[in-house]
Amino acid sequence: MLLPFWWQDVMISIPRIVCGYLLTANFGAAKFGMPWSPVVNNLGLFEVAFWFPKDVAAYGGLFAIAPAFFAWMGAFSEAVGGLFLLLGFQTRIASFLLLMTMLVAVFMQQINNGLWNCLPAMGFLWVSLYTLIMGSGRIGIDYLISKKHIK
């Protein structure tokens, strides 16, 4: 969705870029092997941290049946989805994956630890929600691809 003025696209891209960076460089890279993952975590490319499936299994229900799958999907959506959000590439797909991951983080992981601990996941959830609706705007790869295909 393009806004009437370019500066509006710049303003709405700031939270998308900041959240994408934080997700891919910090939250996702700590539990999912990316080239910029901390060396001390000893993760291979696209490898999930050994402790994360155990945490996911503790949520119970469907998560206990396939904890490795859900851990991989959650870590992937944070690391790779965060990178896509940062770049504005496949923004709506990445936003949907992040929205689902953050809903799980809020209501399955952090809700019992108090509202204060829910705030980071809630912030990512809200940014994911608005980027799901708005897309990347002019400041993203999606815009460049769509502009090329329109001509």
Side-chain angles (χ1 to χ4, degrees):
M1 170 183 242
L2 293 179
L3 296 172
F5 303 103
W6 68 269
W7 62 268
Q8 293 170 323
D9 283 305
V10 170
M11 294 304 289
I12 68 159
S13 70
I14 292 171
R16 174 182 58 82
I17 291 168
V18 169
C19 287
Y21 172 77
L22 289 172
L23 280 166
T24 195
N26 191 336
F27 293 96
K31 61 180 85 101
F32 193 71
M34 298 296 284
W36 50 86
S37 290
V39 176
V40 296
N41 291 11
N42 197 28
L43 294 171
L45 189 62
F46 299 146
E47 180 183 3
V48 175
F50 72 93
W51 53 267
F52 195 46
K54 294 175 198 168
D55 284 4
V56 170
Y59 303 158
L62 190 58
F63 296 102
I65 295 171
F69 170 76
F70 287 110
W72 196 91
M73 288 299 294
F76 175 86
S77 71
E78 287 182 9
V80 178
L83 178 64
F84 282 15
L85 206 62
L86 169 69
L87 299 173
F89 179 66
Q90 297 295 324
T91 307
R92 288 188 169 101
I93 295 169
S95 295
F96 178 76
L97 292 174
L98 287 167
L99 182 72
M100 295 300 114
T101 301
M102 292 306 128
L103 282 171
V104 170
V106 169
F107 292 108
M108 302 300 286
Q109 182 184 32
Q110 296 296 337
I111 198 75
N112 294 328
N113 299 324
L115 185 62
W116 189 256
N117 289 328
C118 293
L119 289 179
M122 289 170 110
F124 292 127
L125 185 141
W126 291 117
V127 170
S128 297
L129 183 61
Y130 99 75
T131 55
L132 178 67
I133 295 165
M134 298 292 290
S136 71
R138 288 182 183 100
I139 314 297
I141 295 173
D142 288 344
Y143 175 71
L144 298 173
I145 292 171
S146 68
K147 187 177 172 182
K148 185 176 182 176
H149 286 292
I150 291 173
K151 288 183 178 183

